[in-house]
Amino acid sequence: MGYKTQRRRMFRTCLSFLAAHNNTLQSKARLLPLLNPNSPMSAGPSPAPFDPTDDPDEGLCADLDGCSLGDPSPPLPSLLIRRHLSGQVLVERAWEHWNQLGAPKLVVAPMVDNSELPFRMLCRKYGAEAAYTPMLHSRIFTETEKYRSMEFTTCKKLSGVKWCSYGIVELLLEIQKHFEDNFLISGSTRTKGDRPLFVQFCANDPDVLLEAAKIVEPYCDYVDINLGCPQRIARRGNYGAFLMDNLPLIKSLVQKLSQNLQVPVSCKIRIFPNLQDTLVYAKMLEEAGCSLLAVHGRTREEKDGKKFRADWNAIKAVKDAIRIPVLANGNIRHMQDVHDCLDYTGADGVLSAESLLENPALFAGYQTMEPTKDGSYEMENGVILDQSDLAIEYLKLCEQYPVPWRMIRSHVHKMLGDWFRIHPQVREELNAQSKLSFEWLHDMVKRLKDLGGAPALYGNGDIKSRAKPNGVATCIS
């Protein structure tokens, strides 16, 4: 189907949708949060202000203006995915959706307090083709507006539309522009902003999980269930990888979302020590309605990624055993690892977490320079990228898309780790700051650059083809 044909079909869909609602303000208000979350006509109260008196790091670095969400509204009809699918139809729909998103291969993994909007946007600029939010607690998300407004942000779409000033023709044209600017054209890899996006929840109650998922489904491409967190807090809360002891509960979580959401359900898992158990687990998730499976190739007990290598053989076996898209997670330090993993496992994409924290430009092909025998750093015919420049880019994104200071502090430590090892006195100054400011952080980075000494990131000649100034990445083969 040609692009013009799709535009006409999309326009007719908008026309049909508005024809039934044109004369009532109430119907316009239902679409308003999608088209203009800033409008005073958007339903629902504003988020309560956050008081950071107990811990300044818990406060937002600026007012939520460009990235907070209005009350959720359903996506327009052409975006809906049919419910109650099963068997081969579900598999076909899973692939159709994945391909419409451009079949992204390079994905930012979910990281608590670390895969927030500014960091996702930085990674997208440097080659990432999709990203997960940090893990969100489904119960707290449904109960606490403050938690929702601070922990889940994404780019607004089509802000500034004033409904009262539009006639029907102008309104239809604006909606058409909204579709073209913010959603994929079928068969295309054209994306914009913070999409494709997985929103990840931890949960152990299907009804609570569905309530949380309903809030975010207009703003994402998958609702993801965290079935892989191995930390003690997950054990105490009975979620993440500790649900592996209760497969019927996991099945009910997936079925609840699959049968009631308009976006696909994905799951992120860890493997069992026994491969056969892992394959039974993966098949059960597929049959329950999972449309995409991300497999971390370590067991629940293998928490230390530097100590335990991920098992690519297990990921390959899962990929061979199920029919839906599979993402591989583990042992991704640079782009050669990406190619090796895809070739070995046959996975449809890879996730990276810890390596991206230290090098957000990993997916653009940059990697840390290795010292020569004499301790110097040499490179031929390559491209240099200073990690301090990445830190500055991240800080500017935080000014545009505010997040809690604790997230900014964490990223600065990770991105500038090599610098801090050489100049520990600057790290101590950062740790001593009970209340951060962008002015202080920018000055700190400048002082580090003046002190010098840290190795830069480098890449080969095809770097610039993957790093995009507007944050939209090309897909590697």
Side-chain angles (χ1 to χ4, degrees):
M1 185 186 301
Y3 173 69
K4 291 184 178 179
T5 302
Q6 292 185 68
R7 282 184 57 177
R8 287 195 295 269
R9 182 171 295 181
M10 188 166 55
F11 188 83
R12 287 197 298 270
T13 301
C14 293
L15 183 62
S16 300
F17 181 77
L18 286 174
H21 302 84
N22 182 40
N23 295 320
T24 65
L25 184 62
Q26 180 181 7
S27 66
K28 290 182 177 182
R30 280 198 294 270
L31 271 178
L32 186 60
L34 179 64
L35 294 176
N36 184 18
N38 279 330
S39 171
M41 294 171 62
S42 293
S46 300
F50 184 76
D51 182 4
T53 53
D54 292 337
D55 185 354
D57 266 11
E58 291 297 323
L60 287 170
C61 61
D63 292 333
L64 278 169
D65 186 29
C67 56
S68 59
L69 302 174
D71 281 358
S73 58
L76 294 180
S78 61
L79 300 178
L80 301 184
I81 293 177
R82 294 179 184 174
R83 304 174 179 177
H84 306 293
L85 301 179
S86 60
Q88 184 60 30
V89 177
L90 176 61
V91 172
E92 291 173 359
R93 284 301 183 95
W95 280 105
E96 179 184 2
H97 184 73
W98 181 244
N99 289 326
Q100 284 180 343
L101 295 176
K105 290 183 172 66
L106 310 176
V107 185
V108 180
M111 294 172 278
V112 174
D113 279 353
N114 282 142
S115 57
E116 83 293 350
L117 177 59
F119 186 72
R120 296 197 300 268
M121 297 303 285
L122 180 64
C123 292
R124 289 180 192 275
K125 175 180 177 180
Y126 287 98
E129 299 164 355
Y132 286 71
T133 66
M135 181 191 74
L136 303 170
H137 193 293
S138 57
R139 179 183 57 77
I140 301 175
F141 194 84
T142 60
E143 294 176 352
T144 310
E145 187 174 14
K146 183 190 301 182
Y147 179 84
R148 290 195 298 271
S149 64
M150 290 185 65
E151 302 300 325
F152 174 57
T153 55
T154 187
C155 297
K156 286 182 177 179
K157 304 185 181 101
L158 202 62
S159 60
V161 176
K162 300 202 181 297
W163 280 81
C164 295
S165 64
Y166 278 81
I168 184 66
V169 174
E170 290 84 357
L171 183 59
L172 286 168
L173 291 173
E174 200 65 64
I175 291 176
Q176 180 179 356
K177 180 178 182 295
H178 167 74
F179 268 93
E180 294 177 352
D181 285 349
N182 294 286
F183 295 101
L184 289 163
I185 304 299
S186 179
S188 163
T189 58
R190 193 162 63 94
T191 62
K192 183 174 180 177
D194 191 29
R195 306 294 281 268
L197 180 65
F198 297 71
V199 177
Q200 186 185 76
F201 288 103
C202 67
N204 54 29
D205 184 313
D207 292 327
V208 172
L209 175 60
L210 177 61
E211 183 180 355
K214 285 283 191 180
I215 297 172
V216 302
E217 67 172 333
Y219 310 105
C220 66
D221 302 287
Y222 290 91
V223 173
D224 186 78
I225 306 175
N226 181 324
L227 300 172
C229 180
Q231 304 304 323
R232 281 179 294 178
I233 190 172
R235 180 192 292 274
R236 292 197 301 268
N238 188 34
Y239 60 78
F242 296 95
L243 294 183
M244 294 167 73
D245 298 327
N246 190 347
L247 295 187
L249 175 57
I250 290 179
K251 183 176 182 179
S252 69
L253 292 171
V254 177
Q255 287 178 328
K256 190 73 171 183
L257 295 193
S258 176
Q259 294 172 5
N260 291 280
L261 289 183
Q262 297 167 340
V263 296
V265 182
S266 61
C267 298
K268 187 171 186 294
I269 66 170
R270 284 186 173 240
I271 60 175
F272 283 94
N274 181 283
L275 177 59
Q276 191 57 39
D277 291 339
T278 301
L279 299 183
V280 170
Y281 184 25
K283 291 176 183 178
M284 181 269 288
L285 292 171
E286 180 183 74
E287 291 169 2
C290 177
S291 292
L292 178 143
L293 186 62
V295 183
H296 190 152
R298 296 182 177 93
T299 68
R300 187 170 66 189
E301 289 71 31
E302 295 173 334
K303 301 177 186 178
D304 189 343
K306 295 181 179 179
K307 182 178 179 181
F308 299 101
R309 294 283 293 172
D311 185 351
W312 285 359
N313 287 311
I315 298 174
K316 174 178 171 57
V318 170
K319 173 60 184 173
D320 292 340
I322 63 176
R323 298 171 294 168
I324 58 176
V326 171
L327 302 182
N329 186 192
N331 306 345
I332 303 299
R333 300 159 301 166
H334 43 67
M335 281 303 295
Q336 187 58 52
D337 288 338
V338 172
H339 295 299
D340 290 345
C341 181
L342 292 176
D343 288 344
Y344 189 86
T345 65
D348 303 289
V350 299
L351 301 178
S352 182
E354 288 294 327
S355 296
L356 278 176
L357 293 179
E358 298 175 5
N359 174 17
L362 183 157
F363 285 147
Y366 290 97
Q367 63 187 75
T368 304
M369 296 180 67
E370 299 294 334
T372 59
K373 292 182 180 180
D374 62 1
S376 63
Y377 296 90
E378 296 181 359
M379 181 191 64
E380 296 181 0
N381 302 321
V383 182
I384 291 289
L385 177 63
D386 198 317
Q387 280 178 291
S388 63
D389 293 331
L390 285 174
I392 291 296
E393 286 191 73
Y394 172 71
L395 292 176
K396 290 180 179 178
L397 285 166
C398 290
E399 294 181 75
Q400 183 178 359
Y401 306 115
V403 293
W405 283 110
R406 71 174 187 277
M407 298 181 182
I408 299 174
R409 188 185 292 270
S410 174
H411 279 297
V412 169
H413 272 287
K414 288 284 189 179
M415 277 188 230
L416 299 178
D418 288 338
W419 294 79
F420 288 143
R421 280 185 282 275
I422 298 171
H423 307 293
Q425 74 279 8
V426 182
R427 179 181 57 214
E428 292 169 6
E429 291 176 23
L430 172 60
N431 292 338
Q433 294 295 310
S434 60
K435 188 174 182 178
L436 292 174
S437 69
F438 286 115
E439 181 181 5
W440 191 93
L441 289 169
H442 280 286
D443 180 68
M444 182 203 71
V445 176
K446 182 178 183 300
R447 284 187 287 125
L448 280 174
K449 292 189 72 171
D450 291 341
L451 289 168
L457 300 170
Y458 78 96
N460 58 28
D462 69 342
I463 288 293
K464 292 183 180 179
S465 67
R466 296 200 200 105
K468 299 296 180 180
N470 63 355
V472 180
T474 57
C475 187
I476 65 166
S477 60

